[in-house]
Amino acid sequence: MVLDLAQRISADYKGRDLVLIGVLKGSFIFLSDLIRQLTIPVKIDFVQASSYGNDTQSCGSIRLLKGVDLNIRGKDVLAVEDIVDTGLTIRWIIDYLMSFQPRSVTVCTLIDKQERREVDVPIAYTGHAAGRGFLVGYGLDYAEQYRHLPEIYHLNL
Ligand code: IMP
């Protein structure tokens, strides 16, 4: 799955000036695996926005904890997320990234929980579709636990 995404991204952005923006913290393992399968040069940066606290529900209000360091003006930007759920976080991040006037902003997510979407967000690259359960492992957490698990598991709450 990661290889397939990396091949598509490599083909789509060949000859372009691509910056991958990992959305911390959940995407860190996915991003690490993804970039090692790319066949094009890329730059890497990270953003972090607070969404969930110790709960499994989005609180709706989003705060920027870490912004971009690289100059992305005029660049093609690919935001790499762990999960798009209601869409509120990535919608906010897309708008934030757009404020730097990049050439383009697209989204790659490991998991798409489409059923729970509240705002419309275009997602160019999706690893897996998922239903309503809460997922942990492979970078995904529940109250900062379980990120280290090598696979993705459903959490029984
Ligand atoms: P949204 O703003 O509702 O789209 O929430 C997106 C964020 O919530 C993701 O980046 C995750 O950090 C977190 N999240 C949503 N669902 C899950 C899950 O099943 N497991 C772990 N984190 C999740």
Side-chain angles (χ1 to χ4, degrees):
M1 177 277 290
V2 174
L3 177 61
D4 176 61
L5 291 175
Q7 285 173 340
R8 285 177 48 208
I9 293 165
S10 300
D12 293 350
Y13 289 94
K14 196 165 188 219
R16 309 255 292 268
D17 216 355
L18 181 61
V19 181
L20 294 194
I21 309 266
V23 181
L24 295 171
K25 298 177 191 175
S27 71
F28 77 106
I29 297 179
F30 174 47
L31 181 77
S32 310
D33 284 346
L34 186 69
I35 58 175
R36 285 178 291 177
Q37 303 283 359
L38 293 174
T39 56
I40 54 167
V42 291
K43 290 181 179 155
I44 313 288
D45 204 347
F46 295 94
V47 295
Q48 186 173 12
S50 68
S51 51
Y52 293 178
N54 286 357
D55 201 351
T56 59
Q57 292 298 308
S58 185
C59 60
S61 76
I62 289 156
R63 212 157 43 94
L64 186 69
L65 301 178
K66 189 221 168 288
V68 279
D69 296 322
L70 294 179
N71 180 2
I72 58 169
R73 191 187 174 109
K75 304 280 164 56
D76 288 305
V77 170
L78 180 60
V80 179
E81 253 287 24
D82 57 350
I83 298 190
V84 178
D85 187 14
T86 63
L88 292 168
T89 308
I90 197 65
R91 177 75 265 167
W92 192 95
I93 287 171
I94 292 169
D95 293 344
Y96 165 74
L97 294 172
M98 288 298 288
S99 73
F100 295 95
Q101 298 180 300
R103 182 169 184 263
S104 65
V105 176
T106 48
V107 176
C108 172
T109 189
L110 173 64
I111 291 159
D112 184 359
K113 286 185 172 174
Q114 220 169 9
E115 282 177 33
R116 287 175 38 102
R117 197 73 89 252
E118 287 177 22
V119 288
D120 199 28
V121 272
I123 301 177
Y125 307 95
T126 301
H128 295 288
R132 286 175 177 267
F134 201 82
L135 304 172
V136 295
Y138 194 68
L140 312 175
D141 77 309
Y142 173 68
E144 294 299 330
Q145 297 180 87
Y146 312 119
R147 289 194 198 276
H148 64 288
L149 298 176
E151 308 285 342
I152 298 172
Y153 297 92
H154 266 112
L155 187 68
N156 289 321
L157 290 165

